[in-house]
Amino acid sequence: TTKKGIGPAYASKISRNGIRIGDLQNFAYFEQRFRSLAEATMNAYPGLEIDVEGQLEYYKSIAPRVGAMPADTIEYTNK
């Protein structure tokens, strides 16, 4: 363990159930994934409370700006 609390991030990566920045390009899909992941995370960590509505409001506000950032890195690095 790194003792930095990053285990859940690695667990999401390995289990491939995490959210990717590109998911913000389709907010309805992002919202469905976020709600599902938040519920699973709260069930896995009793006592953890996630303000799902507040977080979705925040992500919706940044979606146009951040959702445009992902790029095809293979194409980008070979330019």
Side-chain angles (χ1 to χ4, degrees):
T1 180
T2 63
K3 305 260 187 222
K4 295 183 180 182
I6 59 174
Y10 284 116
S12 291
K13 180 177 181 178
I14 297 303
S15 64
R16 295 180 181 253
N17 70 345
I19 295 173
R20 298 172 14 164
I21 195 75
D23 294 342
L24 284 171
Q25 294 171 337
N26 177 346
F27 197 79
Y29 176 74
F30 174 85
E31 180 177 355
Q32 178 262 326
R33 299 264 303 153
F34 183 86
R35 287 182 186 281
S36 176
L37 186 58
E39 181 180 347
T41 303
M42 287 188 288
N43 288 337
Y45 298 94
L48 175 67
E49 291 294 325
I50 299 173
D51 178 7
V52 174
E53 299 307 319
Q55 289 297 304
L56 285 171
E57 185 178 317
Y58 169 73
Y59 284 115
K60 191 168 196 170
S61 75
I62 65 168
R65 184 170 151 220
V66 175
M69 292 180 180
D72 181 343
T73 55
I74 301 296
E75 181 182 321
Y76 181 79
T77 56
N78 288 312
K79 284 186 180 181

